[in-house]
Amino acid sequence: MPPPFPSFKSKEALQVLFRPSSVAVIGASTAPEKLGYQIFKNLLDAGFPGKVHPINPKAPEILGCPCYSNIDAVPDQVDLAVIIIPAPLVADTIRRCGSRGVKGTIVISGGFSETGPEGEVLQEQLVQAAQESKVAVIGPNCQGVNNPHHPLCASWPLLTRRGRVAVISQSGTVGAALMDWASQEELGVSTFVSLGNRADVDEADLIHYFAQDPNTETIAIYMEGVKAAPKFLEAVRQCQKPLVILKAGRTPKGRKAAESHTRSLAGRDEVYEGVFRQFSIHRANDLEQLYDFSKALSYLPRLKGPRLLIITSSGGSAILATDVAEMTGLDVASLPDQVAQRLREVLPKHCIVGNPLDLTGDATAQMYRQVVEAAASHFDAIALIFGDPIPGASEVVGGDPLQLVIYLGGAEVERQERLLFHRKGIPVFPTPERGIQALSHLL
């Protein structure tokens, strides 16, 4: 009896899209301003370990690599083809790829269902060609794939930092922005996939795949609509890793914009809300939350309880953190009397000993350590808000209980310390509100 939902693509079928041995770029260009040039160059510059073949019948070579007139002319076996040619030529090209033994394609080209009835016909032809040729397809109308762990940058911009979050996005720009933030913070991603129109491979296939990927701790998704509801529900039911989803198209006009962008049926938001609650999916309301929640879930342990101690050098930041903590189910519990007494004996007289505990503007990293050592056993988490230029902060954080780092107002010292934290795998959040919101998703 067939399964009650469309089956997922196999690991082997998708592996060739993310870890191929060789790649052909069909539509590679000699013009630096064209995507056919940029993607080919990014594949080379990212250090792809196998052969990369440019396909262009009008060019003898590109970036020192000999060009071939078509996929049949390439002398070696090709696993993956990146296609950047006019939409009417794509279906036949996929057929030629299939007959040549290519197992996967990434179709960057636009001009398919997102453009109207004529484009829908072209997309149906693409799907038929992929099915007949047994070729897995990402796209069309997408920004490609970047797997820094292989490394494979069949996308743009060139980013190579390896990390723990798999980014799946129906918007190339949204996904690339997330990857860029992670790269700037030296945290990186495990893989970035721009889904585009999802003619073949869809979000459910990728959730199922990355749930088994050893480099992925958390799956972050920008979604405009679900392609196949039963298959999606089965994928999230089986997934044992944290899923963070930013669902766009929540309003009537937003739904209309989603349909125009990738022909997605955005659906009623209350239905998605119910599904997210049922399957404990972390819902992000904006791009910053998608990034923050994914970062926290990938680099911090789960909370054992809600008791939170806030240590700060900034009274205002402490108030902001306390408000968000109280609104999100965390408990800014009172400091035990014996701990308060001990801290009054070692801290300067002007420090405000309570919860939040304000070390004031002349705080040092060593003072934070003294408070953590005295209070650690009484709380489930400690939020350390470094609200001034405090050198050495990255040397005093670590150990039990969970320690959340928020750093702001520290200018150049802050920027240096932030990198030192991230190189240790300790995430840093830029505001009290964003940090505490992310922490609440670890409950």
Side-chain angles (χ1 to χ4, degrees):
M1 179 180 295
F5 54 86
S7 59
F8 304 117
K9 287 194 176 295
S10 68
K11 179 181 177 181
E12 292 72 25
L14 294 179
Q15 191 88 330
V16 75
L17 297 167
F18 306 121
R19 306 186 70 85
S21 298
S22 57
V23 181
V25 179
I26 301 175
S29 174
T30 57
E33 70 275 13
K34 292 191 173 181
L35 290 176
Y37 177 90
Q38 294 169 24
I39 292 176
F40 184 72
K41 187 173 188 301
N42 285 348
L43 281 162
L44 298 179
D45 291 349
F48 179 71
K51 289 187 176 179
V52 185
H53 305 286
I55 309 291
N56 183 331
K58 297 179 181 178
E61 67 170 30
I62 298 176
L63 294 171
C65 299
C67 264
Y68 299 96
S69 57
N70 56 62
I71 190 69
D72 295 319
V74 179
D76 306 308
Q77 172 62 38
V78 174
D79 287 345
L80 172 67
V82 183
I83 298 176
I84 318 159
I85 57 177
L89 305 178
V90 170
D92 284 345
T93 300
I94 289 175
R95 282 196 174 85
R96 294 185 74 171
C97 285
S99 64
R100 183 65 177 74
V102 177
K103 300 298 184 186
T105 61
I106 299 170
V107 181
I108 305 294
S109 315
F112 292 89
S113 64
E114 79 279 5
T115 62
E118 291 185 10
E120 288 179 2
V121 172
L122 293 176
Q123 186 157 315
E124 290 170 4
Q125 293 171 353
L126 180 157
V127 171
Q128 187 174 359
Q131 291 174 344
E132 291 172 357
S133 308
K134 294 183 170 49
V135 174
V137 178
I138 286 185
N141 184 31
C142 77
Q143 196 166 324
V145 167
N146 190 340
N147 175 9
H149 286 274
H150 190 44
L152 169 80
C153 183
S155 181
W156 71 95
L158 174 63
L159 297 168
T160 58
R161 182 72 60 180
R162 299 175 180 180
R164 305 177 187 176
V165 180
V167 178
I168 302 168
S169 181
Q170 278 185 255
S171 162
T173 299
V174 168
L178 213 67
M179 188 173 182
D180 190 26
W181 292 353
S183 181
Q184 285 180 13
E185 294 202 314
E186 298 198 4
L187 293 174
V189 302
S190 64
T191 306
F192 159 60
V193 187
S194 170
L195 276 172
N197 292 4
R198 304 170 298 173
D200 184 36
V201 176
D202 62 25
E203 61 281 342
D205 292 317
L206 296 183
I207 291 170
H208 188 254
Y209 176 83
F210 286 113
Q212 306 167 68
D213 175 34
N215 296 320
T216 297
E217 298 285 340
T218 301
I219 302 170
I221 303 176
Y222 167 79
M223 173 187 292
E224 294 170 2
V226 166
K227 181 181 174 184
K231 184 179 172 185
F232 173 76
L233 292 173
E234 183 61 20
V236 299
R237 188 187 69 79
Q238 291 185 19
C239 184
Q240 298 298 309
K241 294 181 179 177
L243 269 171
V244 186
I245 296 181
L246 171 56
K247 168 66 177 66
R250 301 176 71 163
T251 64
K253 289 187 177 178
R255 289 195 284 273
K256 189 174 181 180
E259 185 175 354
S260 173
H261 181 213
T262 53
R263 302 297 290 173
S264 295
L265 296 176
R268 294 172 57 186
D269 193 65
E270 54 267 36
V271 175
Y272 281 95
E273 184 67 30
V275 170
F276 293 168
R277 287 182 185 275
Q278 180 181 354
F279 293 99
S280 300
I281 295 170
H282 303 269
R283 181 166 198 171
N285 291 317
D286 55 40
L287 191 51
E288 285 183 345
Q289 287 190 351
L290 181 62
Y291 181 67
D292 291 342
F293 298 171
S294 301
K295 187 165 79 170
L297 289 159
S298 294
Y299 291 91
L300 292 172
R302 290 302 182 101
L303 277 168
K304 297 175 182 175
R307 291 171 60 83
L308 172 66
L309 171 64
I310 299 170
I311 309 172
T312 184
S313 65
S314 160
S317 296
I319 297 168
L320 292 169
T322 301
D323 280 343
V324 177
E326 291 293 306
M327 290 187 287
T328 55
L330 294 164
D331 178 18
V332 186
S334 299
L335 203 63
D337 291 341
Q338 69 274 23
V339 175
Q341 180 60 36
R342 197 182 319 156
L343 287 171
R344 288 192 183 95
E345 293 171 2
V346 298
L347 294 174
K349 299 295 183 188
H350 59 269
C351 293
I352 302 170
V353 178
N355 191 9
L357 194 152
D358 189 356
L359 297 169
T360 72
D362 60 352
T364 64
Q366 182 58 29
M367 290 162 67
Y368 281 83
R369 172 176 279 171
Q370 288 175 309
V371 178
V372 170
E373 289 177 349
S377 62
H378 300 277
F379 293 89
D380 300 305
I382 299 177
L384 300 130
I385 304 176
F386 298 98
D388 296 276
I390 300 176
S394 58
E395 297 173 9
V396 300
V397 175
D400 290 328
L402 185 161
Q403 294 174 31
L404 175 81
V405 178
I406 298 163
Y407 211 139
L408 70 164
E412 188 56 35
V413 172
E414 174 193 331
R415 287 184 274 278
Q416 293 173 7
E417 288 293 327
R418 184 186 299 273
L419 281 183
L420 293 173
F421 274 119
H422 285 153
R423 286 171 184 170
K424 290 181 175 181
I426 300 173
V428 180
F429 295 87
T431 69
E433 301 95 315
R434 289 176 60 177
I436 299 297
Q437 278 275 1
L439 179 67
S440 71
H441 282 259
L442 302 175
L443 271 171

